[in-house]
């Protein structure tokens, strides 16, 4: 019988044949952590008294949650990890300002068919490249740093097919929200979602990264796009070489499948206070917004800033607006293409490479009773600051339209 992508990757990584629900030990190709969880990873390593790292080349560290450090404690956490990286001569260490870990992994490290484990739930992001990627707790990650291995339960594979092409301004975020609208946020527990794109060019890499990022909001163990020409082109253009790709067999068996017709996907938002409280923009049309955030590992890529700049060009923001490209690489490209200038002239505060407001850490905390429109992935009570704030989640077009109109509207309403 044919094999799914999940089975192919986990068979290679475990060196045995696997079936859904098997518990297997797998070799991990990339293990990673950031500043906030890295602190705990290092604490566990120190408690164990271990000094040997299994494979220095496979370990990636990037600072993002506490960038730039908002207080002495955060500065100290980063200082500790910096010393750790120096002590072990960790070459894949990215200090403040390089980018959000998941973006850095996509840009520089992950390859199709790999097993990627990082101390952050949005590690599923790397599934955009066809890698089996999962978030784990800090102690599990510490164990991988030492042994190069972990154990997991083989998830049940679920197939999603994307057919046709999305309408103008409809991106990966609307597709992720469409999946959450239909299945809610607990359906995919214990499953790996494998996404097949019928016409690769209809769904560019940036869109795939957003959908994979939100795999964890669907409660999936992992969400992988079947590698295709878009995957190969992306790695060639970012890293200058052509990767080998792994794909499922044509007769692979899935527990179920679901098809999304991209041209029918609507403008959607997650209304307060859960990601699967998905509504059509028409149903919340005119809701007044105080603060717009464009960024995060969900929607901090070049196409997000291209869309925001196209919509905001020549206009002034009517809300507070904070815009944060997910990495230095994205920021630099957006700068060269004039998107940053457009956003700055519209009155946005722009910086790069930090989680900042996404997690209510710093750099733009929501006040009580404020209405926030964010392109990030979580809107539970208190996520971005005050527990009395109301957070809507959307794609970049709805966010930019809200920034220039002060309301939740469709992009066509402000063009
Ligand atoms: C702080 C970190 C552990 C957390 C995660 O795991 O996702 C954060 O990145 C988030 O988005 O809530
Ligand atoms: S940008 Fe937000 S969702 Fe992504 S890793 Fe940072 S805090 Fe988590």
């Amino acid at each position: 019988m044919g094999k799914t992508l999940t089975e192919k990757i986990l068979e290679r990584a475990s060196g045995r044949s696997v079936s859904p629900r098997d518990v297997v030990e797998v070799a991990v190709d990339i293990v990673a952590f950031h500043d906030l969880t890295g602190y705990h990873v290092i604490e566990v390593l120190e408690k164990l008294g271990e000094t040997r790292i299994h494979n220095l080349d496979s370990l990636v560290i990037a600072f993002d949650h506490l960038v730039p450090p908002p207080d002495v404690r955060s500065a100290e956490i980063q200082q500790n990890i910096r010393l750790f990286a120096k002590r072990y001569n960790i070459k894949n260490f990215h200090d403040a300002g390089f980018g959000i870990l998941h973006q850095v992994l996509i840009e520089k490290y992950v390859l199709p068919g790999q097993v990627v484990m990082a101390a952050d739930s949005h590690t599923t992001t790397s599934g955009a490249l066809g890698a089996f990627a999962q978030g784990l707790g800090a102690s599990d990650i510490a164990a991988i740093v030492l042994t190069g291995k972990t154990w997991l339960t083989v998830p049940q594979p679920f197939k999603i097919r994307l057919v046709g092409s999305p309408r103008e301004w409809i991106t990966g975020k609307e597709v992720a929200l469409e999946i959450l609208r239909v299945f809610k946020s607990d359906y995919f527990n214990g499953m790996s979602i494998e996404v097949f794109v019928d016409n690769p060019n209809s769904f560019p890499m940036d869109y795939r990264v957003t959908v994979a990022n939100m795999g964890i909001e669907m409660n999936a163990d992992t969400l992988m796009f079947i590698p295709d020409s878009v995957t190969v082109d992306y790695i060639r253009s970012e890293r200058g070489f052509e990767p080998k790709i792994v794909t499922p067999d044509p007769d692979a068996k899935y527990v179920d499948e679901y098809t999304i017709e991209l041209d029918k996907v609507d403008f959607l938002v997650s209304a307060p206070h859960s990601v699967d409280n998905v509504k059509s923009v028409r149903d919340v049309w005119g809701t007044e917004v105080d603060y717009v955030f464009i960024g995060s590992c969900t929607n901090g890529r070049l196409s997000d800033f291209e869309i925001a700049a196209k919509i905001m060009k020549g206009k002034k923001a009517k809300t507070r607006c904070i815009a944060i490209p997910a990495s230095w690489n994205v920021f630099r490209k957006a700068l060269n293409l004039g998107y940053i200038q457009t956003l700055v002239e519209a009155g946005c505060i722009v910086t790069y490479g930090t989680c900042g407001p996404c997690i209510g850490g710093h750099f733009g905390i929501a006040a009580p009773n404020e209405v926030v429109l964010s392109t990030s992935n979580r809107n539970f009570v208190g996520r971005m600051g005050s527990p009395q704030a109301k957070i809507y989640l959307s794609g970049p077009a709805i966010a930019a339209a809200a920034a220039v109109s002060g309301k939740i509207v469709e992009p066509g309403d402000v063009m």
Side-chain angles (χ1 to χ4, degrees), residues 141-196:
I141 291 298
I144 299 172
V145 170
L146 294 179
T147 65
K149 289 186 195 142
T150 193
W151 64 270
L152 52 83
T153 306
V154 178
Q156 309 223 57
F158 185 102
K159 176 173 178 173
I160 291 186
R161 259 184 79 201
L162 304 184
V163 302
S165 299
R167 291 183 292 136
E168 194 184 17
W169 310 120
I170 300 283
T171 62
K173 186 57 155 285
E174 282 76 17
V175 171
L177 296 186
E178 173 65 9
I179 299 172
L180 283 155
R181 185 183 72 78
V182 175
F183 291 96
K184 301 292 170 190
S185 62
D186 54 3
Y187 183 83
F188 292 108
N189 196 12
M191 294 189 211
S192 58
I193 304 175
E194 297 192 9
V195 185
F196 292 66

Side-chain angles (χ1 to χ4, degrees), residues 64-65 100 102 120 122 213 296-298 355 358-359 377 383:
D64 51 15
H65 284 67
I100 297 175
H102 307 303
D120 189 283
H122 293 103
N213 176 274
S296 84
C297 58
T298 317
C355 296
C358 169
I359 193 173
N377 48 34
R383 168 71 175 184

Side-chain angles (χ1 to χ4, degrees), residues 41-311:
V41 175
I42 292 174
E43 202 175 46
V44 174
L45 292 175
E46 279 168 358
K47 266 195 197 146
L48 291 172
E50 292 287 354
T51 51
R52 199 181 47 83
I53 288 178
H54 174 76
N55 180 356
L56 278 177
D57 292 337
S58 73
L59 175 59
V60 180
I61 305 173
F63 288 172
D64 51 15
H65 284 67
L66 309 173
V67 173
D71 50 37
V72 175
R73 180 78 188 120
S74 306
E76 214 181 353
I77 286 175
Q78 292 192 347
Q79 186 181 45
N80 255 337
I81 302 174
R82 215 172 268 128
L83 288 174
F84 171 85
K86 208 168 169 194
R87 191 158 68 241
Y88 287 96
N89 209 6
I90 294 166
K91 66 173 196 311
N92 306 327
F93 166 68
H94 302 288
D95 210 320
F98 195 74
I100 297 175
L101 176 66
H102 307 303
Q103 179 65 18
V104 172
L105 288 172
I106 289 281
E107 285 174 5
K108 281 182 70 80
Y109 296 103
V110 173
L111 290 170
Q114 285 187 325
V115 174
V116 179
M117 299 284 168
D120 189 283
S121 66
H122 293 103
T123 304
T124 55
T125 312
S126 286
L129 297 176
F132 186 97
Q134 272 187 336
L136 291 180
S139 32
D140 285 303
I141 291 298
I144 299 172
V145 170
L146 294 179
T147 65
K149 289 186 195 142
T150 193
W151 64 270
L152 52 83
T153 306
V154 178
Q156 309 223 57
F158 185 102
K159 176 173 178 173
I160 291 186
R161 259 184 79 201
L162 304 184
V163 302
S165 299
R167 291 183 292 136
E168 194 184 17
W169 310 120
I170 300 283
T171 62
K173 186 57 155 285
E174 282 76 17
V175 171
L177 296 186
E178 173 65 9
I179 299 172
L180 283 155
R181 185 183 72 78
V182 175
F183 291 96
K184 301 292 170 190
S185 62
D186 54 3
Y187 183 83
F188 292 108
N189 196 12
M191 294 189 211
S192 58
I193 304 175
E194 297 192 9
V195 185
F196 292 66
V197 184
D198 264 25
N199 164 20
N201 292 330
S202 69
F203 214 69
M205 185 51 71
D206 281 9
Y207 297 9
R208 299 176 186 206
V209 180
T210 302
V211 177
N213 176 274
M214 297 203 55
I216 192 60
E217 309 310 324
M218 301 164 196
N219 215 357
D221 284 15
T222 192
L223 187 157
M224 297 184 277
F225 277 78
I226 306 304
D228 57 21
S229 54
V230 167
T231 324
V232 173
D233 289 349
Y234 175 78
I235 292 174
R236 194 194 300 111
S237 78
E238 286 296 326
R239 304 186 217 161
F241 68 89
E242 249 183 50
K244 287 208 186 74
I245 60 172
V246 193
T247 54
D249 293 325
D251 57 342
K253 204 165 165 283
Y254 290 84
V255 282
D256 209 345
E257 67 175 77
Y258 184 76
T259 299
I260 295 180
E261 292 175 52
L262 291 173
D263 54 329
K264 298 212 172 110
V265 176
D266 202 359
F267 290 111
L268 299 170
V269 295
S270 299
H273 294 282
S274 73
V275 68
D276 61 357
N277 186 16
V278 177
K279 307 231 183 280
S280 153
V281 164
R282 278 186 309 276
D283 295 337
V284 292
W285 199 93
T287 303
E288 291 195 8
V289 175
D290 299 295
Y291 160 32
V292 169
F293 168 51
I294 302 172
S296 84
C297 58
T298 317
N299 283 106
R301 275 165 288 281
L302 196 62
S303 65
D304 299 309
F305 289 90
E306 180 184 357
I307 290 170
K310 274 189 186 154
I311 293 174

